Amino acid sequence: MKFSTLAVIAFSIVPFTSFAQFQKIDNLRPYDKTGINVFEDPKDSSTTFDGLKLKFGAGFTQQFQNLKHKNPGALNNNIGSFNPAVPGNRLKIITPGFQTAQANLYMDVQLADGIRLNITSYLSTKHHNETWVKGGYIQFDKLPFNGKIWDDIMEIATIKIGHFEVDYGDEHFRRSDGGSTIYNPFMEGNIVDEFATEIGGQVMLRKNGFFGLLGATNGMIKGNVDSLYAASNPDGDYKKAPSILLKGGFDKQVMDDVRLRVSASYYGNQSSGGNTIFGGDRSGSNYQYVMELNSANPSSTSGAGTPLAFSGRFNPGFSKKVNTVMLNGFLKFKGLELFGTFEAASGRTSKETDTRKMNQFAADAVYRFGKNENLFIGAKYNTVKARLANTAVINYADDVKINRVAAAAGWFLTKNVLLKGEYVVQKYEDFPTQDYRAGGKFNGYVIEAVVGF
C-alpha cells in the first residue's frame, strides 16, 4: 500500500479517531506502559456489551545507532573489515546515524460481548519499505450461545482464530516488534528470535493461576496452495503438515509484592514448505547492518532492506522440520524483575537428511524505580550454540557459538513516551574460517525514543 493511499485513509478517519481512540476494548493487552509484563491477553468474563466499538492504537520508534563491527584482520572498522582467509568476507561499512523510523498501526473492534477483532499493520520497518499487514484474528472470551454449559466453559477459555502471532514461549511478549518497542527494556529480543505469524487457531484455559494452551497452524508465514511449494522442497516431499503448539504454566501474584510465572512450550512441524518460527519477523532487527557482508545489497529485488533485515540474529534454518521446547521463568519482587529462557530445538532444511540441534539460554534482570516505576536499569546475557545448516559443498561438523551481553536504562516520561538506551557486545565463536562471521564481534550503543498508545 503506497503512502498516498495511507494518507487518504488517515484523513478519512480523522473525524472519528478522537472518539474511536478512547473506546474500551475488552481483554486487550494495552499498547502503552501498562502492557509491560502482560503476557497473554487478560481474561475478564464479567464484561457487558452496549454496541460495536472501535479503537485505534499505534507504536512509534526512532533510533540512533553507534555500533562498530569487525572480523579477524580488520584494519579499520570505519573502512570495512575483512577476514584475510577469504577476500570476499569484507564487512559492510557502518557509521553512527539515525535508523529509519518504525511505525505500527493497531485496529481493535469489539464486535459483541466477549468477541473482538484485531488487525495489526506495519507502516514502516527495516524489513520492508511498504505497508505490510502483520496479521488479523478474532478472539472469543464468550460465545453467543445460550446455556450454562457454554458460560461455564468460557469462564476459563479463550479461543483465537485467524492469522496471528504464534504463542510459543514467553520471550515474544517482551521482544521489540517493529514500532512496538515499549515492552522491551532492551533493543532486541533473543539472538535466535522466536517469532512467527501463522494461520490457525488455539484454545487457552486459565483457572487459579494455572493455564494451558493447545493450538494448530498451517506452519508457514502465509497461505500456500501454489506450485512454489514443490520448488522449495527438493527432497520431493510435498506433504504439508500442520504445526502443533502446546503450552502450560502458572502465573499468579503469590504475595503482595511477589509475582511468579513459569511456563513450558512446545512447537513442532514435521513437514513444512517453509517454516519460519526462528525467522518469521516481518519488521526486522533493531541492530542495523551489523555483521553483514559489504557486498550485500539492501535494495535488492527481494525488497528494500530484506537481505539485511535480521542483522545480529541467528537463524538455525529449520525450514522443513522443526521440534522445539522452551522453558521460561519470570519473577517480580517489588521493582526487581528476573526473566529467563532455556530453549532446545532440532530440525533440518529440505536439502538435508539429518536433523541438527540448537540450544539457547537467556537471562535478564531489570530494576524499576522512581514514581510509578518510571525509571529502569537492566542487564541481559544471551548465548546460542548450534550446528550450521549443511550445503551440497560444505559440511560444518562443529557447533558454533554466539554470545551477547547488554546493559540498558530507560525513562518513561509518561505511560506513552519512553526514552531508552543500550550498550551491547556480541561475539561469534567457532565459525569456520571461510565464514565471514568467524571471530566476529560488534559493540556500541543504540538509543531509542518510543511512543505507544
Side-chain angles (χ1 to χ4, degrees):
M1 186 180 293
K2 296 182 178 180
F3 178 78
S4 57
T5 305
L6 289 173
V8 171
I9 295 174
F11 282 113
S12 68
I13 64 175
V14 164
F16 64 86
T17 51
S18 59
F19 170 75
Q21 167 57 29
F22 297 103
Q23 295 290 288
K24 183 180 182 301
I25 306 297
D26 298 330
N27 301 316
L28 177 68
R29 182 189 190 186
Y31 300 119
D32 57 27
K33 177 177 178 285
T34 58
I36 292 175
N37 295 330
V38 176
F39 293 84
E40 287 82 12
D41 291 312
K43 172 74 174 180
D44 182 4
S45 300
S46 62
T47 58
T48 58
F49 181 69
D50 57 2
L52 187 144
K53 297 176 182 177
L54 174 67
K55 179 181 185 298
F56 286 95
F60 302 104
T61 296
Q62 178 68 73
Q63 298 155 314
F64 179 85
Q65 173 178 296
N66 186 4
L67 297 175
K68 298 180 180 180
H69 59 181
K70 64 180 181 179
N71 52 12
L75 299 178
N76 187 318
N77 291 337
N78 293 324
I79 62 173
S81 58
F82 66 97
N83 184 333
V86 183
N89 280 352
R90 187 179 297 274
L91 295 179
K92 198 166 189 66
I93 300 171
I94 56 176
T95 59
F98 287 96
Q99 300 183 20
T100 300
Q102 300 181 85
N104 294 6
L105 177 65
Y106 310 105
M107 184 178 75
D108 294 285
V109 185
Q110 193 74 49
L111 298 173
D113 188 14
I115 304 176
R116 67 173 179 87
L117 174 75
N118 169 271
I119 297 177
T120 299
S121 298
Y122 294 128
L123 301 183
S124 173
T125 68
K126 311 290 179 54
H127 196 178
H128 296 283
N129 63 348
E130 70 274 41
T131 297
W132 278 70
V133 176
K134 172 185 175 180
Y137 62 87
I138 187 168
Q139 180 168 306
F140 297 88
D141 286 283
K142 292 183 180 180
L143 291 174
F145 305 144
N146 294 324
K148 187 176 183 303
I149 185 174
W150 300 112
D151 295 338
D152 291 342
I153 291 174
M154 298 310 294
E155 186 74 24
I156 62 172
T158 297
I159 303 170
K160 182 181 288 189
I161 302 172
H163 193 164
F164 54 83
E165 185 173 322
V166 176
D167 190 4
Y168 163 66
D170 288 344
E171 167 64 25
H172 72 104
F173 293 113
R174 295 165 59 86
R175 66 188 291 281
S176 297
D177 181 34
S180 176
T181 62
I182 206 164
Y183 305 140
N184 190 354
F186 304 93
M187 295 300 122
E188 264 286 277
N190 288 338
I191 296 171
V192 175
D193 185 45
E194 311 90 344
F195 176 90
T197 54
E198 298 176 358
I199 303 169
Q202 66 180 42
V203 178
M204 184 175 189
L205 304 179
R206 287 177 275 195
K207 188 171 184 179
N208 297 330
F210 293 93
F211 62 88
L213 182 146
L214 172 63
T217 72
N218 68 328
M220 302 177 68
I221 198 170
K222 59 183 180 180
N224 185 289
V225 297
D226 58 27
S227 59
L228 291 177
Y229 180 80
S232 64
N233 286 268
D235 59 2
D237 182 5
Y238 305 143
K239 176 184 177 182
K240 286 183 284 189
S243 288
I244 303 300
L245 176 66
L246 301 173
K247 189 173 187 178
F250 177 81
D251 186 352
K252 194 170 185 178
Q253 195 77 28
V254 294
M255 298 174 63
D256 289 343
D257 294 327
V258 180
R259 178 186 171 191
L260 175 65
R261 177 183 171 100
V262 291
S263 70
S265 302
Y266 164 80
Y267 176 97
N269 189 295
Q270 311 313 311
S271 180
S272 173
N275 190 270
T276 60
I277 191 64
F278 297 127
D281 184 10
R282 296 191 179 191
S283 63
S285 167
N286 286 299
Y287 302 137
Q288 191 163 23
Y289 293 171
V290 292
M291 294 304 297
E292 298 284 8
L293 285 171
N294 191 50
S295 58
N297 181 5
S299 300
S300 72
T301 56
S302 56
T306 295
L308 307 181
F310 311 115
S311 304
R313 297 179 184 172
F314 177 81
N315 187 341
F318 299 152
S319 56
K320 177 66 176 183
K321 180 178 180 180
V322 59
N323 289 284
T324 183
V325 174
M326 181 186 289
L327 305 177
N328 292 110
F330 173 73
L331 175 68
K332 182 172 176 62
F333 173 66
K334 295 185 177 181
L336 178 64
E337 300 170 4
L338 303 175
F339 181 77
T341 298
F342 174 77
E343 186 170 29
S346 65
R348 65 176 179 88
T349 67
S350 58
K351 296 179 180 179
E352 298 174 294
T353 56
D354 297 326
T355 60
R356 295 172 285 108
K357 294 183 179 180
M358 183 279 296
N359 292 327
Q360 177 167 230
F361 172 77
D364 67 67
V366 177
Y367 182 66
R368 302 183 188 273
F369 57 100
K371 184 179 180 181
N372 299 319
E373 296 187 347
N374 63 319
L375 300 169
F376 68 83
I377 56 175
K380 181 174 181 176
Y381 174 73
N382 187 188
T383 183
V384 171
K385 183 177 181 181
R387 183 76 52 88
L388 294 176
N390 294 331
T391 68
V393 179
I394 301 173
N395 180 19
Y396 295 137
D398 298 321
D399 290 341
V400 299
K401 298 177 184 177
I402 306 175
N403 301 309
R404 177 191 296 168
V405 177
W411 174 29
F412 281 93
L413 286 73
T414 73
K415 72 174 184 177
N416 304 107
V417 181
L418 167 65
L419 178 66
K420 61 178 176 175
E422 176 195 86
Y423 186 86
V424 61
V425 179
Q426 183 161 310
K427 298 180 179 180
Y428 297 74
E429 301 175 0
D430 299 331
F431 280 76
T433 56
Q434 62 267 42
D435 193 299
Y436 72 96
R437 294 164 292 187
K441 172 186 175 181
F442 72 83
N443 65 284
Y445 66 85
V446 183
I447 298 173
E448 285 187 342
V450 184
V451 175
F453 61 88

